[in-house]
Amino acid sequence: MTSAPEPKKLTGTQKVALVLMQMDRQHASDVLRHFSELEADEVIAEIVRLRRVDRKTIEKVLEEVHGAIATGLPAARGGRDVAAGLLQDTFGAEQAATVMNRLASSMAGKSFDFLETVDPPQIAVLLEEELPQTVALVLAHLRPEVASTVLAGVNAERRTEIAACLATMGPASPEALRTVAEVLKSRLGANVAPTEPLAAVGGIQQLVDIINRSPVAVEKELLETLAERDEQLAEEVRARMLTFTDLVRFEKRDVQLILRGIDPGILALALKGASESVQTTIRENISERTRDILDQELKSLGPVRMSAVDEARADIVRSIRELENRGEITVQRLEEDYLVV
C-alpha cells in the first residue's frame, strides 16, 4: 500500500488528485473534463497510487486550494509560448529559438532514456540498418557527447548523409518517436514503459553541438564532405561552430574561467601558430606563475604536428562547451550585436 506523502512534498498533480478524491463522483468528473487528456491521465494515476491519505494532509491541501481561490488571483500562465516570449524579450528571437529547440530536444529525448546506459559503439551497431533519417532522429535525442561518438563510428559517406538529415530535420510526431523508441527497445530487450514524448527538434545548432564534441579528424572530414553535398549548409554550420580563436570574443571573466582548468602543456600546444590576438588574450588572463610555466612549455615543445595542435585546441573548445552547458559562461554567437562605445 502506498504510504501517505508529507504535505510539503506533494506535487501539484497529487494535490489535484487529493481534492478530487474528496468530491462526489459527478462533481469530480465535471472538474476532470477541464483537463487535457494527458493531464487527466496523470491525475487518475495519482488517485490510483494515493489509496489512503491521512486527514491532516487532506486538510492542508484543501486549505491551500481554498486560499488560492479566495484570493481571486489569476492562475500563473506557463507553456511553450509564454517561455518563448520571455526568452525572446530577454535574449532576442534567434537565441530564444536556439534555447527552445535545445529544451524541446532534451524533453523529447526522454523517449530514448533507455539508451543512456548503452555504450555508444553498441548504439552505432543498433542503428546500422536504419535509414539516415532515423539515425538522425535518434542522435537528436542523445547527449551531444554521446551522439558525436556514435556518429564517429559510422562510415564517412553515411555520416555525411546523417549529418545533412540532422541539420534539416523538422519536428517529428509523437507516434514516430514512440515507434522508433519501441523498435530499439525491443532489439535491446529493454522492458521500459514508453513515455509520451514531445516533438523532436534537430537542426543546424544540434549538429554543431555534436560536431564540436567529435574528434578533430571526424570534424574536418564531415565538414568537407558536407560542403561537397551542400555548400550553403556547410557554410552555415561553420559559421555557428565554436573555435579556439573565439576566445578573443569572450569577456575577461569568462576567459579566465575557461583557462583556469586547462593544463599548461595543452595550452602551449594550442598556442603554436595562433594569431597574435589570441596569444595576447590568453596571456592577459592567466597568472604570472602560469605565464612562466606556459613559456617554459613553449620553449621545450619544438616543432609539433598540426594534428596535435588541432587536438589541443579541440580540448579547449570542449571545456568551453562544458562551461556553457553548466551555465557558467555565455557563448557569443557570430550574429549577435556588440556594444559600441
Side-chain angles (χ1 to χ4, degrees):
M1 183 181 295
T2 304
S3 60
E6 297 178 18
K8 290 183 179 179
K9 295 183 179 180
L10 287 173
T11 66
T13 304
Q14 288 174 324
K15 292 177 182 178
V16 172
L18 282 182
V19 172
L20 293 184
M21 287 163 63
Q22 309 314 305
M23 302 170 65
D24 65 67
R25 185 168 172 177
Q26 183 57 53
H27 284 106
S29 176
D30 290 340
V31 172
L32 201 59
R33 287 194 183 94
H34 291 278
F35 292 89
S36 68
E37 184 176 343
L38 183 57
E39 290 169 338
D41 287 348
E42 292 174 350
V43 172
I44 293 299
E46 290 299 342
I47 291 176
V48 172
R49 296 187 189 102
L50 300 172
R51 296 181 185 178
R52 293 183 63 183
V53 184
D54 64 86
R55 177 53 53 184
K56 181 180 178 181
T57 299
I58 295 173
E59 290 175 353
K60 288 281 188 182
V61 172
L62 292 178
E63 286 175 9
E64 182 181 333
V65 173
H66 180 268
I69 295 173
T71 59
L73 293 176
R77 293 188 303 114
R80 182 182 175 88
D81 291 341
V82 174
L86 178 60
L87 284 169
Q88 183 168 331
D89 291 344
T90 307
F91 300 111
E94 188 151 357
Q95 184 69 5
T98 298
V99 173
M100 290 301 294
N101 285 350
R102 187 183 304 146
L103 176 62
S105 179
S106 173
M107 294 176 70
K110 291 180 180 179
S111 296
F112 297 90
D113 277 352
F114 66 96
L115 291 176
E116 291 293 325
T117 58
V118 181
D119 291 333
Q122 189 177 353
I123 298 176
V125 172
L126 191 68
L127 297 172
E128 272 183 348
E129 303 301 321
E130 297 294 341
L131 293 171
Q133 294 91 334
T134 303
V135 179
L137 180 68
V138 175
L139 293 186
H141 296 90
L142 297 177
R143 297 195 314 274
E145 59 270 23
V146 175
S148 65
T149 305
V150 175
L151 193 60
V154 177
N155 70 65
E157 182 178 353
R158 183 166 161 82
R159 187 186 300 144
T160 305
E161 190 82 18
I162 293 167
C165 292
L166 182 61
T168 56
M169 181 189 299
S173 69
E175 291 75 17
L177 285 172
R178 190 183 298 110
T179 299
V180 173
E182 288 177 352
V183 168
L184 296 181
K185 284 176 191 174
S186 65
R187 289 183 189 171
L188 284 172
N191 295 317
V192 182
T195 56
E196 184 68 22
L198 301 181
V201 180
I204 291 176
Q205 189 55 49
Q206 187 124 23
L207 176 60
V208 167
D209 289 341
I210 293 173
I211 293 177
N212 274 328
R213 290 167 172 80
S214 300
V216 175
V218 173
E219 175 188 316
K220 285 186 173 180
E221 173 269 323
L222 185 54
L223 287 174
E224 288 172 2
T225 54
L226 193 59
E228 293 173 3
R229 176 190 175 93
D230 189 331
E231 179 63 36
Q232 185 176 352
L233 179 60
E235 282 302 315
E236 189 166 354
V237 170
R238 287 193 187 96
R240 294 198 190 190
M241 284 188 67
L242 182 69
T243 66
F244 175 66
T245 57
D246 288 329
L247 272 173
V248 301
R249 296 166 49 218
F250 285 91
E251 298 290 338
K252 280 193 171 186
R253 185 197 69 84
D254 287 348
V255 176
Q256 292 164 8
L257 192 60
I258 293 165
L259 298 178
R260 189 179 301 161
I262 304 298
D263 182 271
I266 298 293
L267 194 54
L269 265 176
L271 277 175
K272 291 289 279 188
S275 66
E276 185 176 342
S277 60
V278 172
Q279 294 193 40
T280 300
T281 297
I282 289 176
R283 290 182 175 278
E284 287 179 348
N285 288 284
I286 56 178
S287 66
E288 186 175 347
R289 180 174 177 276
T290 304
R291 202 156 42 237
D292 291 339
I293 297 174
L294 180 61
D295 288 336
Q296 292 173 17
E297 291 282 352
L298 284 167
K299 287 178 183 178
S300 64
L301 270 181
V304 294
R305 293 181 180 276
M306 194 62 210
S307 59
V309 174
D310 286 341
E311 193 56 51
R313 293 177 178 179
D315 282 345
I316 295 174
V317 169
R318 280 191 281 271
S319 296
I320 295 173
R321 284 293 182 194
E322 288 172 4
L323 289 169
E324 181 194 19
N325 289 339
R326 295 201 299 265
E328 296 181 33
I329 63 173
T330 301
V331 175
Q332 298 288 327
R333 308 295 176 192
L334 288 175
E335 64 272 10
E336 289 180 350
D337 292 335
Y338 292 88
L339 293 176
V340 179
V341 294

